Amino acid sequence: MKKLLLFLSVVSQLAGCADTSEPHPCDPLATKETRALYAALFRTARCGILFGHQDDALYGHDWRFEPGRSDVRDCCGDYPAVFGWELGGMELGAERSIDDVPFDLIARRLIEAAGRGAVNTVSWHPSNPESGDSAWDCRTTTAVASILPGGCNHAQYRMWLDRLAMFFASLRSADGVAVPVLFRPFHECTSTGFWWGEAQCTPDEYRALWRFTVGYLRDAKGLHHLLWVYSPDLFRDAEHYMERYPGDGWVDVLGLDAYHRPGEWDFAAGCDRMLSVLQRLGEEHGKPTAFTETGLEGIGIDTWWTECLLPVIRGRSLSYVLVWRNAHDRPTHFFGPWRGHSSESDFRVFVTNDKTRIMLESDLRDIYRP
């Protein structure tokens, strides 16, 4: 009987995947591959949840720059379905990211992942435009205003975007097709951890920054293979989540960044509340939703995957969930599984569980094909 019920559940999921209605990105000129990916984000949310890992193809807990290697693959024999990448430092003209990864290597690995059918999402931690210090320099409340049109650093910001535009434009397959990317700038705007946070700029300034960024890369630079992801940090309610929302015409995906920090907040209850709100907002605004950043640093709970993460995403119409990176040079700074860690076996149970389908790269089929 259990096998019959599981079979009927899979049939039901596949029927939902066959829905042929096509949603449209906020960019009316989005490439056909980008439109196909956008439709796939809705479709996969009816089938299961794509699993993602930041910097997975670049380095892991005890290795760096080994072609084809992946901590996720080492544990379960398959790559993640979603790869996260970081462009912090590119705005300054650097050749390597803030995580000391060459940008040309990021481009190669990103294109390779797309070639295998995986999804790519890009974050950006730009330097404070006033101080020149890191994205975490929050000592000012005028940095955002300074880069808006008319601001003293606006020309500098346009140059930053020109550099990003060159990178994005270079992301092309062997046959010259632009590789679609989920771009997630100015994330965690409901927190105060970055110079664009809620204590560092007004809601109007944040919305203006977002809209200028989208308009410049889309219209001035002609990039039509980007999907735009809005991903606040912890939020109180729907009003708080939407306080800085740029508008449906400027956003493609609604996300949430929420890390498990025992002793600071109740991860289970908080995620249940926030993901419920997120799902409702996605339905109201016609946007796919995603758990855009999460994880428990050091994974000090051996059953974290099945007893902490799985319960909060089970039954949710989420397109994907992404855990943060496994630093090769910081032994305790890791959020994903790696071979030999005490949570490795639990991760395998997580990705093969029969309650919520967790999708890896081999589960994806033709997501860029219209």
Side-chain angles (χ1 to χ4, degrees), residues 83-141:
F83 288 82
W85 316 91
E86 169 61 37
L87 298 186
M90 181 173 290
E91 72 279 359
L92 302 180
E95 295 183 354
R96 305 170 80 92
S97 74
I98 56 174
D99 298 318
D100 198 30
V101 181
F103 289 118
D104 60 351
L105 179 61
I106 293 175
R108 289 200 304 274
R109 296 288 184 266
L110 187 156
I111 293 169
E112 290 169 0
R116 297 191 305 267
V119 177
N120 291 290
T121 179
V122 168
S123 56
W124 181 34
H125 291 76
S127 300
N128 186 308
E130 290 188 312
S131 69
D133 290 337
S134 76
W136 291 266
D137 177 13
C138 302
R139 294 171 294 178
T140 176
T141 59

Side-chain angles (χ1 to χ4, degrees), residues 34-361:
T34 305
R35 295 196 306 271
L37 172 59
Y38 194 54
L41 294 178
F42 287 90
R43 189 169 62 250
T44 56
R46 294 190 292 270
C47 309
I49 301 175
L50 306 180
F51 178 76
H53 188 208
Q54 182 74 11
D55 281 351
D56 185 82
L58 297 170
Y59 52 80
H61 179 65
D62 58 0
W63 60 272
R64 187 185 192 204
F65 304 163
E66 295 182 26
R69 189 162 181 196
S70 152
D71 274 352
V72 170
R73 191 185 187 197
D74 283 351
C75 288
C76 66
D78 201 352
Y79 289 113
V82 180
F83 288 82
W85 316 91
E86 169 61 37
L87 298 186
M90 181 173 290
E91 72 279 359
L92 302 180
E95 295 183 354
R96 305 170 80 92
S97 74
I98 56 174
D99 298 318
D100 198 30
V101 181
F103 289 118
D104 60 351
L105 179 61
I106 293 175
R108 289 200 304 274
R109 296 288 184 266
L110 187 156
I111 293 169
E112 290 169 0
R116 297 191 305 267
V119 177
N120 291 290
T121 179
V122 168
S123 56
W124 181 34
H125 291 76
S127 300
N128 186 308
E130 290 188 312
S131 69
D133 290 337
S134 76
W136 291 266
D137 177 13
C138 302
R139 294 171 294 178
T140 176
T141 59
T142 54
V144 169
S146 79
I147 59 177
L148 293 175
C152 60
N153 293 315
H154 181 62
Q156 170 185 289
Y157 185 60
R158 290 167 67 100
M159 181 175 65
W160 285 9
L161 294 182
D162 288 342
R163 288 168 173 159
L164 261 64
M166 289 181 62
F167 176 84
F168 284 131
S170 74
L171 301 177
R172 294 186 174 273
S173 64
D175 53 0
V177 176
V179 174
V181 168
L182 295 165
F183 186 33
R184 194 170 59 90
F186 306 118
H187 62 307
E188 301 177 12
C189 60
T190 53
S191 71
T192 58
F194 300 114
W195 55 262
W196 57 84
E198 66 177 6
Q200 285 74 37
C201 66
T202 68
D204 284 343
E205 289 169 342
Y206 183 87
R207 288 191 291 267
L209 173 61
W210 185 284
R211 292 169 183 167
F212 176 81
T213 303
V214 173
Y216 190 80
L217 292 178
R218 180 189 64 196
D219 305 326
K221 307 307 292 189
L223 299 177
H224 299 293
H225 58 294
L226 303 182
L227 294 173
W228 296 85
V229 184
Y230 174 72
S231 58
D233 200 347
L234 308 187
F235 60 90
R236 296 184 296 275
D237 49 30
E239 183 179 6
H240 188 205
Y241 184 91
M242 299 298 288
E243 182 179 38
R244 292 163 187 263
Y245 185 61
D248 287 349
W250 304 91
V251 171
D252 292 303
V253 179
L254 301 184
L256 167 67
D257 289 11
Y259 284 90
H260 187 176
R261 296 187 173 97
E264 294 186 19
W265 66 293
D266 188 325
F267 183 74
C271 284
D272 180 66
R273 174 182 59 81
M274 291 185 291
L275 290 174
S276 294
V277 172
L278 183 68
Q279 186 168 343
R280 176 170 60 81
L281 290 173
E283 293 170 353
E284 291 175 357
H285 292 265
K287 308 291 183 183
T289 58
F291 205 169
T292 40
E293 277 189 43
T294 190
L296 171 64
E297 185 174 17
I299 318 180
I301 302 172
D302 291 348
T303 54
W304 185 80
W305 302 101
T306 58
E307 295 186 3
C308 298
L309 181 58
L310 186 60
V312 302
I313 63 175
R314 181 182 297 143
R316 307 287 182 189
S317 296
L318 295 169
S319 296
Y320 67 90
V321 57
L322 181 141
V323 296
W324 203 238
R325 70 194 189 108
N326 291 358
H328 66 92
D329 55 350
R330 296 168 59 185
T332 62
H333 187 70
F334 59 88
F335 298 82
W338 48 271
R339 184 182 294 165
H341 185 259
S342 56
S343 75
E344 178 186 2
S345 60
D346 188 62
F347 178 76
R348 286 195 291 270
V349 175
F350 168 73
V351 298
T352 58
N353 84 91
D354 60 3
K355 295 181 177 64
T356 295
R357 186 183 180 196
I358 304 300
M359 303 174 72
L360 298 171
E361 187 181 88

